[in-house]
Coordinates of all heavy atoms in Angstrom, one line a residue:
P7 N 4.8 15.1 -13.9 CA 3.5 15.9 -13.7 C 2.2 15.1 -13.9 O 1.3 15.3 -13.1 CB 3.6 16.9 -14.9 CG 5.1 17.0 -15.2 CD 5.7 15.7 -14.8
E8 N 2.3 14.1 -14.8 CA 1.1 13.2 -14.9 C 0.8 12.5 -13.7 O -0.4 12.3 -13.3 CB 1.3 12.3 -16.1 CG 1.4 13.0 -17.5 CD 2.8 13.4 -17.9 OE1 3.7 13.3 -17.0 OE2 2.9 13.9 -19.0
L9 N 1.8 12.0 -13.0 CA 1.6 11.2 -11.8 C 1.1 12.1 -10.7 O 0.2 11.7 -9.9 CB 3.0 10.6 -11.4 CG 2.9 9.7 -10.2 CD1 3.8 8.4 -10.4 CD2 3.3 10.4 -8.9
L10 N 1.6 13.3 -10.6 CA 1.2 14.2 -9.5 C -0.3 14.7 -9.7 O -0.9 15.0 -8.7 CB 2.1 15.5 -9.5 CG 3.6 15.1 -9.0 CD1 4.4 16.4 -9.1 CD2 3.5 14.5 -7.6
V11 N -0.8 14.6 -10.9 CA -2.2 14.9 -11.1 C -3.0 13.8 -10.4 O -4.1 14.1 -9.8 CB -2.6 15.0 -12.6 CG1 -4.1 15.0 -12.8 CG2 -1.9 16.3 -13.2
L12 N -2.6 12.6 -10.6 CA -3.3 11.5 -10.0 C -3.1 11.3 -8.5 O -4.0 10.9 -7.8 CB -2.8 10.2 -10.7 CG -3.1 10.1 -12.2 CD1 -2.5 8.8 -12.8 CD2 -4.6 10.1 -12.4
N13 N -1.9 11.6 -8.1 CA -1.5 11.5 -6.7 C -0.6 12.6 -6.3 O 0.7 12.5 -6.5 CB -0.9 10.1 -6.3 CG -0.7 10.0 -4.8 OD1 -1.1 10.9 -4.0 ND2 0.0 9.0 -4.5
P14 N -1.1 13.7 -5.7 CA -0.2 14.8 -5.3 C 0.9 14.4 -4.4 O 1.9 15.1 -4.3 CB -1.2 15.8 -4.7 CG -2.5 15.5 -5.3 CD -2.5 14.0 -5.5
A15 N 0.7 13.3 -3.7 CA 1.8 12.8 -2.8 C 3.0 12.3 -3.6 O 4.1 12.1 -3.1 CB 1.2 11.7 -1.8
G16 N 2.8 11.9 -4.9 CA 3.9 11.5 -5.8 C 4.3 10.1 -5.5 O 5.3 9.7 -6.0
S17 N 3.4 9.3 -4.9 CA 3.9 7.9 -4.7 C 3.0 6.9 -5.5 O 1.9 7.3 -6.0 CB 3.7 7.5 -3.2 OG 2.4 7.6 -2.8
I18 N 3.5 5.7 -5.7 CA 2.8 4.7 -6.3 C 2.6 3.6 -5.3 O 3.4 3.5 -4.3 CB 3.5 4.1 -7.5 CG1 5.0 3.7 -7.1 CG2 3.6 5.1 -8.7 CD1 5.7 3.0 -8.2
P19 N 1.7 2.7 -5.3 CA 0.7 2.5 -6.5 C -0.4 3.5 -6.6 O -0.8 4.1 -5.6 CB 0.2 1.1 -6.2 CG 0.2 1.0 -4.8 CD 1.4 1.8 -4.3
I20 N -0.9 3.6 -7.8 CA -2.1 4.4 -8.1 C -3.0 3.5 -8.9 O -2.5 2.8 -9.9 CB -1.8 5.7 -8.9 CG1 -0.9 6.6 -8.1 CG2 -3.1 6.4 -9.3 CD1 -0.3 7.7 -9.0
M21 N -4.3 3.4 -8.6 CA -5.2 2.6 -9.4 C -6.4 3.5 -9.9 O -6.9 4.3 -9.1 CB -5.8 1.5 -8.5 CG -6.5 0.4 -9.4 SD -7.5 -0.7 -8.3 CE -8.9 0.3 -8.0
E22 N -6.6 3.3 -11.2 CA -7.8 4.0 -11.8 C -8.8 2.9 -12.2 O -8.5 1.9 -12.8 CB -7.4 4.7 -13.0 CG -6.6 6.0 -12.8 CD -6.3 6.7 -14.1 OE1 -7.2 7.5 -14.5 OE2 -5.2 6.5 -14.7
D23 N -10.1 3.1 -11.7 CA -11.2 2.2 -12.2 C -12.3 3.1 -12.6 O -13.0 3.6 -11.7 CB -11.6 1.3 -11.0 CG -12.6 0.3 -11.4 OD1 -12.7 -0.1 -12.6 OD2 -13.3 -0.3 -10.5
G24 N -12.5 3.3 -13.8 CA -13.4 4.3 -14.3 C -13.0 5.7 -13.8 O -11.9 6.1 -14.0
D25 N -14.0 6.4 -13.2 CA -13.7 7.7 -12.7 C -13.0 7.7 -11.3 O -12.6 8.8 -10.8 CB -15.0 8.5 -12.5 CG -15.6 8.9 -13.8 OD1 -14.9 8.9 -14.8 OD2 -16.8 9.1 -13.9
L26 N -12.9 6.5 -10.7 CA -12.3 6.4 -9.4 C -10.8 6.3 -9.5 O -10.2 5.6 -10.3 CB -12.8 5.2 -8.7 CG -12.2 4.8 -7.3 CD1 -12.7 5.9 -6.3 CD2 -12.6 3.4 -6.9
I27 N -10.1 7.2 -8.7 CA -8.7 7.1 -8.6 C -8.4 6.9 -7.1 O -8.8 7.6 -6.2 CB -8.0 8.4 -9.0 CG1 -8.3 8.8 -10.5 CG2 -6.5 8.4 -8.7 CD1 -7.9 10.1 -10.9
L28 N -7.6 5.7 -6.9 CA -7.3 5.4 -5.5 C -5.8 5.4 -5.4 O -5.0 4.9 -6.3 CB -7.8 4.0 -5.2 CG -9.3 3.9 -4.8 CD1 -9.6 2.4 -4.6 CD2 -9.6 4.7 -3.5
T29 N -5.3 5.8 -4.3 CA -3.8 5.7 -3.9 C -3.8 5.0 -2.6 O -4.8 4.7 -1.9 CB -3.2 7.1 -3.8 OG1 -3.8 7.8 -2.7 CG2 -3.4 7.9 -5.1
E30 N -2.6 4.6 -2.2 CA -2.3 3.8 -1.0 C -2.7 2.4 -1.2 O -3.8 2.0 -1.4 CB -3.0 4.4 0.3 CG -2.6 5.8 0.6 CD -1.1 5.8 1.0 OE1 -0.6 4.9 1.7 OE2 -0.5 6.9 0.7
S31 N -1.7 1.5 -1.1 CA -1.9 0.1 -1.4 C -2.9 -0.5 -0.5 O -3.7 -1.4 -1.0 CB -0.5 -0.6 -1.2 OG 0.0 -0.4 0.1
S32 N -3.1 -0.1 0.8 CA -4.1 -0.8 1.6 C -5.5 -0.4 1.1 O -6.4 -1.3 1.0 CB -3.9 -0.4 3.0 OG -3.9 1.0 3.2
A33 N -5.7 0.8 0.7 CA -7.0 1.2 0.2 C -7.3 0.5 -1.1 O -8.5 0.1 -1.4 CB -7.1 2.8 -0.1
I34 N -6.3 0.3 -2.0 CA -6.5 -0.4 -3.2 C -6.8 -1.9 -3.0 O -7.7 -2.5 -3.6 CB -5.2 -0.3 -4.1 CG1 -5.1 1.2 -4.6 CG2 -5.3 -1.2 -5.3 CD1 -3.8 1.5 -5.2
L35 N -6.1 -2.5 -2.0 CA -6.4 -3.9 -1.7 C -7.8 -4.0 -1.1 O -8.6 -5.0 -1.5 CB -5.4 -4.4 -0.6 CG -4.0 -4.6 -1.1 CD1 -3.0 -4.9 0.1 CD2 -4.0 -5.8 -2.1
V36 N -8.3 -3.1 -0.3 CA -9.6 -3.2 0.2 C -10.6 -3.1 -0.9 O -11.7 -3.8 -0.9 CB -9.8 -2.2 1.4 CG1 -11.3 -2.0 1.7 CG2 -9.0 -2.6 2.6
Y37 N -10.4 -2.2 -1.8 CA -11.4 -1.9 -2.9 C -11.4 -3.2 -3.8 O -12.5 -3.6 -4.1 CB -10.9 -0.7 -3.7 CG -11.7 -0.4 -4.9 CD1 -13.0 0.2 -4.7 CD2 -11.3 -0.8 -6.2 CE1 -13.8 0.5 -5.8 CE2 -12.1 -0.5 -7.3 CZ -13.4 0.2 -7.1 OH -14.1 0.5 -8.2
L38 N -10.3 -3.7 -4.1 CA -10.3 -4.9 -5.0 C -11.0 -6.1 -4.3 O -11.7 -6.8 -4.9 CB -8.8 -5.3 -5.4 CG -8.2 -4.3 -6.3 CD1 -6.7 -4.6 -6.6 CD2 -8.9 -4.1 -7.7
A39 N -10.7 -6.3 -3.0 CA -11.3 -7.4 -2.3 C -12.8 -7.1 -2.2 O -13.6 -8.1 -2.4 CB -10.7 -7.5 -0.9
A40 N -13.2 -5.9 -1.9 CA -14.6 -5.7 -1.8 C -15.4 -6.0 -3.1 O -16.5 -6.4 -3.0 CB -14.9 -4.2 -1.3
K41 N -14.7 -5.7 -4.2 CA -15.4 -5.9 -5.5 C -15.3 -7.4 -5.9 O -16.3 -7.9 -6.4 CB -14.7 -5.0 -6.6 CG -15.1 -3.6 -6.5 CD -14.7 -2.9 -7.8 CE -15.7 -3.1 -8.9 NZ -15.5 -2.1 -10.0
A42 N -14.2 -8.0 -5.7 CA -14.0 -9.3 -6.3 C -14.2 -10.5 -5.3 O -14.5 -11.6 -5.7 CB -12.6 -9.4 -6.9
A43 N -13.9 -10.3 -4.0 CA -13.9 -11.4 -3.1 C -14.2 -10.8 -1.7 O -13.3 -10.8 -0.8 CB -12.6 -12.1 -3.1
P44 N -15.4 -10.3 -1.5 CA -15.7 -9.5 -0.3 C -15.5 -10.4 1.0 O -15.3 -9.9 2.1 CB -17.2 -9.1 -0.4 CG -17.7 -9.8 -1.6 CD -16.5 -10.2 -2.4
E45 N -15.6 -11.7 0.8 CA -15.4 -12.6 2.0 C -14.0 -12.5 2.6 O -13.8 -12.8 3.7 CB -15.7 -14.1 1.6 CG -14.8 -14.8 0.7 CD -15.1 -14.4 -0.8 OE1 -15.9 -13.5 -1.1 OE2 -14.4 -15.1 -1.7
W46 N -13.0 -12.0 1.8 CA -11.7 -11.8 2.3 C -11.7 -10.7 3.3 O -10.7 -10.6 4.1 CB -10.7 -11.5 1.1 CG -10.4 -12.6 0.2 CD1 -11.0 -13.9 0.2 CD2 -9.4 -12.6 -0.8 NE1 -10.4 -14.6 -0.7 CE2 -9.4 -13.9 -1.4 CE3 -8.4 -11.7 -1.2 CZ2 -8.6 -14.3 -2.4 CZ3 -7.6 -12.1 -2.2 CH2 -7.7 -13.3 -2.8
L47 N -12.7 -9.9 3.4 CA -12.7 -8.8 4.3 C -13.3 -9.2 5.6 O -13.5 -8.4 6.5 CB -13.4 -7.6 3.7 CG -12.7 -7.0 2.5 CD1 -13.5 -5.9 1.9 CD2 -11.3 -6.5 2.8
G48 N -13.7 -10.4 5.8 CA -14.3 -10.9 7.0 C -15.8 -10.8 7.0 O -16.4 -10.2 6.0
S49 N -16.4 -11.3 8.0 CA -17.9 -11.3 8.1 C -18.4 -10.0 8.8 O -19.6 -9.8 8.9 CB -18.3 -12.5 9.0 OG -17.8 -12.3 10.3
G50 N -17.5 -9.1 9.2 CA -17.9 -7.9 9.9 C -17.8 -8.1 11.4 O -18.0 -7.1 12.2
K51 N -17.5 -9.3 11.9 CA -17.3 -9.5 13.3 C -16.0 -8.7 13.7 O -15.1 -8.5 13.0 CB -17.1 -11.0 13.6 CG -18.4 -11.8 13.5 CD -18.2 -13.2 13.9 CE -19.4 -14.0 13.7 NZ -19.2 -15.4 13.5
A52 N -16.1 -8.3 15.0 CA -15.0 -7.5 15.5 C -13.6 -8.1 15.3 O -12.7 -7.4 14.8 CB -15.2 -7.2 17.0
E53 N -13.4 -9.4 15.6 CA -12.1 -9.9 15.5 C -11.6 -10.0 14.1 O -10.5 -9.6 13.8 CB -12.0 -11.3 16.1 CG -10.6 -11.9 16.0 CD -10.5 -13.2 16.7 OE1 -11.3 -13.6 17.5 OE2 -9.5 -13.9 16.3
E54 N -12.5 -10.4 13.2 CA -12.1 -10.5 11.7 C -11.8 -9.1 11.2 O -10.8 -8.9 10.4 CB -13.2 -11.2 11.0 CG -13.3 -12.6 11.3 CD -14.4 -13.3 10.5 OE1 -14.9 -12.7 9.5 OE2 -14.7 -14.5 10.8
A55 N -12.6 -8.1 11.5 CA -12.3 -6.7 11.0 C -11.0 -6.2 11.6 O -10.1 -5.7 10.8 CB -13.4 -5.7 11.5
A56 N -10.7 -6.6 12.8 CA -9.4 -6.2 13.4 C -8.2 -6.9 12.7 O -7.2 -6.4 12.5 CB -9.4 -6.5 14.9
R57 N -8.4 -8.2 12.4 CA -7.3 -9.0 11.7 C -7.0 -8.4 10.3 O -5.9 -8.3 9.9 CB -7.8 -10.5 11.6 CG -7.9 -11.2 12.9 CD -6.5 -11.6 13.4 NE -6.6 -12.3 14.7 CZ -5.8 -12.2 15.7 NH1 -4.7 -11.4 15.6 NH2 -6.0 -12.9 16.8
V58 N -8.1 -8.0 9.6 CA -7.8 -7.4 8.3 C -7.0 -6.1 8.5 O -6.0 -5.9 7.8 CB -9.2 -7.0 7.6 CG1 -8.9 -6.2 6.3 CG2 -9.9 -8.3 7.2
Q59 N -7.4 -5.3 9.5 CA -6.6 -4.1 9.7 C -5.2 -4.4 10.2 O -4.2 -3.7 9.8 CB -7.3 -3.2 10.8 CG -8.6 -2.6 10.3 CD -8.4 -1.8 9.0 OE1 -7.5 -1.0 8.9 NE2 -9.3 -2.0 8.0
Q60 N -5.1 -5.4 11.0 CA -3.7 -5.8 11.4 C -2.8 -6.2 10.3 O -1.6 -5.7 10.2 CB -3.9 -7.1 12.3 CG -2.6 -7.6 12.9 CD -2.9 -8.8 13.8 OE1 -3.8 -8.9 14.6 NE2 -2.0 -9.8 13.7
W61 N -3.3 -6.9 9.3 CA -2.4 -7.3 8.2 C -2.2 -6.1 7.2 O -1.1 -6.0 6.7 CB -3.1 -8.5 7.4 CG -2.8 -9.8 8.1 CD1 -3.7 -10.6 8.8 CD2 -1.5 -10.5 8.2 NE1 -3.1 -11.7 9.3 CE2 -1.8 -11.6 9.0 CE3 -0.3 -10.2 7.7 CZ2 -0.7 -12.5 9.3 CZ3 0.8 -11.1 8.0 CH2 0.5 -12.2 8.8
L62 N -3.2 -5.2 7.1 CA -3.0 -4.1 6.3 C -1.9 -3.1 6.9 O -1.1 -2.6 6.2 CB -4.3 -3.3 6.0 CG -5.3 -4.0 5.1 CD1 -6.6 -3.3 5.1 CD2 -4.7 -4.2 3.7
S63 N -1.9 -3.0 8.2 CA -0.9 -2.2 8.9 C 0.5 -2.9 8.8 O 1.5 -2.2 8.5 CB -1.3 -2.1 10.4 OG -2.5 -1.4 10.6
F64 N 0.5 -4.2 8.9 CA 1.8 -4.9 8.7 C 2.3 -4.6 7.3 O 3.5 -4.4 7.1 CB 1.6 -6.4 9.0 CG 2.8 -7.2 8.8 CD1 3.8 -7.2 9.6 CD2 2.9 -8.1 7.7 CE1 5.0 -7.9 9.4 CE2 4.0 -8.9 7.5 CZ 5.0 -8.8 8.4
S65 N 1.5 -4.8 6.4 CA 1.8 -4.5 5.0 C 2.3 -3.1 4.8 O 3.3 -2.9 4.1 CB 0.6 -4.8 4.1 OG 0.7 -4.2 2.9
G66 N 1.7 -2.2 5.4 CA 2.1 -0.8 5.3 C 3.5 -0.6 5.9 O 4.4 0.2 5.3
R67 N 3.8 -1.2 7.0 CA 5.1 -1.1 7.5 C 6.2 -1.7 6.6 O 7.3 -1.2 6.5 CB 5.2 -1.8 8.9 CG 4.9 -0.9 10.1 CD 5.3 -1.4 11.4 NE 4.6 -2.6 11.8 CZ 5.2 -3.7 12.2 NH1 6.5 -3.8 12.3 NH2 4.5 -4.7 12.5
L68 N 5.9 -2.9 6.0 CA 6.8 -3.5 5.1 C 7.1 -2.6 3.9 O 8.2 -2.5 3.5 CB 6.2 -4.9 4.6 CG 6.4 -6.1 5.5 CD1 6.0 -7.3 4.7 CD2 7.9 -6.3 5.9
T69 N 6.0 -2.0 3.4 CA 6.1 -1.2 2.2 C 7.1 0.0 2.6 O 8.0 0.3 1.8 CB 4.8 -0.6 1.8 OG1 3.9 -1.7 1.5 CG2 4.9 0.2 0.5
A70 N 6.9 0.6 3.7 CA 7.7 1.7 4.1 C 9.2 1.3 4.3 O 10.1 2.0 3.8 CB 7.2 2.3 5.4
S71 N 9.4 0.2 5.0 CA 10.8 -0.1 5.2 C 11.5 -0.7 4.0 O 12.5 -0.3 3.6 CB 10.9 -1.1 6.4 OG 10.1 -2.3 6.1
L72 N 10.8 -1.7 3.3 CA 11.5 -2.3 2.2 C 11.5 -1.4 1.0 O 12.5 -1.3 0.2 CB 10.7 -3.6 1.8 CG 10.8 -4.7 2.8 CD1 10.0 -5.9 2.3 CD2 12.3 -5.1 3.0
G73 N 10.4 -0.6 0.8 CA 10.4 0.4 -0.3 C 11.5 1.4 -0.1 O 12.2 1.8 -1.0
G74 N 11.7 1.9 1.1 CA 12.7 2.8 1.4 C 14.1 2.3 1.2 O 15.0 2.9 0.6
A75 N 14.3 1.0 1.6 CA 15.6 0.3 1.4 C 15.9 0.2 -0.1 O 17.0 0.4 -0.6 CB 15.6 -1.0 2.1
R76 N 14.8 -0.1 -0.9 CA 15.0 -0.3 -2.3 C 15.4 1.0 -3.0 O 16.3 1.1 -3.8 CB 13.7 -0.9 -2.9 CG 13.8 -1.1 -4.4 CD 12.5 -1.6 -5.0 NE 11.4 -0.7 -4.7 CZ 11.1 0.4 -5.3 NH1 11.8 0.8 -6.4 NH2 10.0 1.1 -5.0
L77 N 14.7 2.1 -2.6 CA 15.0 3.4 -3.1 C 16.4 3.8 -2.7 O 17.2 4.4 -3.6 CB 14.0 4.5 -2.6 CG 12.6 4.4 -3.1 CD1 11.7 5.4 -2.4 CD2 12.6 4.8 -4.6
H78 N 16.8 3.5 -1.5 CA 18.2 3.8 -1.1 C 19.2 3.0 -1.9 O 20.2 3.6 -2.4 CB 18.3 3.5 0.4 CG 19.7 3.8 1.0 ND1 20.1 5.1 1.1 CD2 20.7 3.0 1.3 CE1 21.4 5.1 1.6 NE2 21.7 3.8 1.8
E79 N 19.0 1.7 -2.0 CA 20.0 0.8 -2.6 C 20.0 1.0 -4.2 O 21.1 1.0 -4.8 CB 19.8 -0.6 -2.3 CG 20.1 -1.0 -0.9 CD 21.6 -0.9 -0.6 OE1 22.4 -1.4 -1.4 OE2 21.9 -0.4 0.5
M80 N 18.9 1.1 -4.8 CA 18.8 1.1 -6.3 C 18.8 2.5 -6.9 O 19.3 2.7 -8.0 CB 17.6 0.3 -6.7 CG 17.6 -1.1 -6.2 SD 16.1 -2.0 -6.7 CE 16.4 -2.2 -8.5
L81 N 18.2 3.4 -6.2 CA 18.1 4.8 -6.8 C 18.9 5.8 -6.0 O 18.8 7.0 -6.2 CB 16.6 5.2 -6.8 CG 15.7 4.3 -7.7 CD1 14.3 4.8 -7.6 CD2 16.2 4.2 -9.1
L82 N 19.7 5.3 -5.1 CA 20.7 6.1 -4.3 C 20.0 7.2 -3.5 O 20.6 8.3 -3.3 CB 21.8 6.7 -5.3 CG 22.5 5.6 -6.1 CD1 23.5 6.3 -7.0 CD2 23.1 4.5 -5.3
R83 N 18.8 7.0 -3.1 CA 18.1 8.0 -2.3 C 18.8 8.0 -0.9 O 19.0 7.0 -0.3 CB 16.6 7.6 -2.2 CG 15.7 8.3 -1.2 CD 15.2 9.6 -1.7 NE 14.5 9.5 -2.9 CZ 13.1 9.3 -3.0 NH1 12.4 9.2 -2.0 NH2 12.5 9.3 -4.2
P84 N 19.0 9.2 -0.4 CA 19.7 9.2 1.0 C 18.8 8.5 2.0 O 17.5 8.6 1.9 CB 19.8 10.8 1.3 CG 19.7 11.4 -0.1 CD 18.8 10.6 -0.9
G85 N 19.4 7.9 2.9 CA 18.6 7.2 4.0 C 19.5 6.4 4.9 O 20.7 6.2 4.5
D86 N 18.9 6.0 6.0 CA 19.7 5.2 7.0 C 19.3 3.8 6.7 O 18.3 3.3 7.1 CB 19.2 5.7 8.4 CG 19.9 4.8 9.5 OD1 20.6 3.8 9.2 OD2 19.8 5.2 10.6
I87 N 20.2 3.1 6.0 CA 19.9 1.7 5.6 C 19.6 0.8 6.8 O 18.8 -0.1 6.8 CB 20.9 1.1 4.6 CG1 20.5 -0.2 3.9 CG2 22.3 0.9 5.3 CD1 19.3 0.0 3.0
G88 N 20.4 1.1 7.9 CA 20.2 0.2 9.1 C 18.8 0.4 9.7 O 18.1 -0.6 10.0
A89 N 18.3 1.6 9.7 CA 16.9 1.9 10.2 C 15.9 1.3 9.2 O 14.9 0.8 9.7 CB 16.7 3.4 10.3
L90 N 16.2 1.3 7.9 CA 15.2 0.8 7.0 C 15.1 -0.7 7.0 O 14.1 -1.3 6.6 CB 15.6 1.2 5.5 CG 15.4 2.7 5.3 CD1 16.1 3.1 4.0 CD2 14.0 3.1 5.3
Q91 N 16.2 -1.4 7.4 CA 16.2 -2.8 7.5 C 15.7 -3.4 8.9 O 15.4 -4.5 9.0 CB 17.6 -3.3 7.4 CG 18.2 -3.2 6.0 CD 19.6 -3.5 5.8 OE1 20.4 -3.4 6.8 NE2 20.0 -4.0 4.6
A92 N 15.4 -2.4 9.8 CA 14.9 -2.9 11.1 C 13.5 -3.4 11.1 O 12.7 -3.0 10.2 CB 15.0 -1.7 12.1
Ligands
LIG777 N1 1.8 4.1 2.0 C1 2.0 4.0 0.6 C2 3.5 3.9 0.3 C3 3.8 3.8 -1.2 C4 5.3 3.9 -1.4 O1 6.1 4.1 -0.5 N2 5.6 3.9 -2.7 C5 6.9 4.1 -3.1 C6 7.4 3.1 -4.1 S1 7.4 1.5 -3.3 C7 7.0 5.5 -3.9 O2 6.1 5.8 -4.7 N3 8.0 6.3 -3.6 C8 8.2 7.5 -4.3 C9 9.2 8.4 -3.7 O3 9.6 8.1 -2.5 O4 9.6 9.3 -4.3 C10 1.3 2.7 0.1 O5 1.2 1.7 0.8 O6 0.8 2.8 -1.1

């Protein structure tokens, strides 16, 4: 119940920074980079902005497939392990 208050979707990671609550790893990464190392987000040029989004999308796909495989193998969550490894 405590987790669902922070994220009704029930997933982790969840980050709290003062009153701010963020979910979704890509949003958390962008927030941390913007605060600590904004140059990592590029100069605002079209190609650099697209490259940041490209890597965040790649990261999201990895999280979905590897996270799903881990839940299946370690926590016995039903799933198609072949599809999760693709
Ligand atoms: N798109 C989310 C995916 C997060 C995600 O899949 N988290 C998994 C753990 S790695 C989770 O909380 N799963 C909970 C569940 O499936 O019940 C992100 O990038 O933060």
Side-chain angles (χ1 to χ4, degrees):
E8 292 87 353
L9 185 141
L10 292 175
V11 168
L12 297 173
N13 183 9
S17 64
I18 54 171
I20 300 168
M21 191 191 79
E22 291 183 81
D23 187 22
D25 291 337
L26 177 68
I27 298 171
L28 281 175
T29 64
E30 295 298 324
S31 53
S32 56
I34 292 170
L35 287 171
V36 167
Y37 179 77
L38 292 174
K41 282 191 84 167
E45 67 277 9
W46 287 9
L47 297 175
S49 63
K51 289 184 183 155
E53 181 178 341
E54 290 181 12
R57 291 284 180 215
V58 170
Q59 292 304 315
Q60 181 180 320
W61 281 107
L62 290 172
S63 296
F64 177 70
S65 158
R67 270 197 296 130
L68 276 187
T69 304
S71 58
L72 294 178
R76 182 180 56 80
L77 288 171
H78 179 72
E79 288 293 316
M80 298 178 72
L81 300 177
L82 308 180
R83 172 83 54 91
D86 177 350
I87 193 64
L90 293 168
Q91 290 173 330

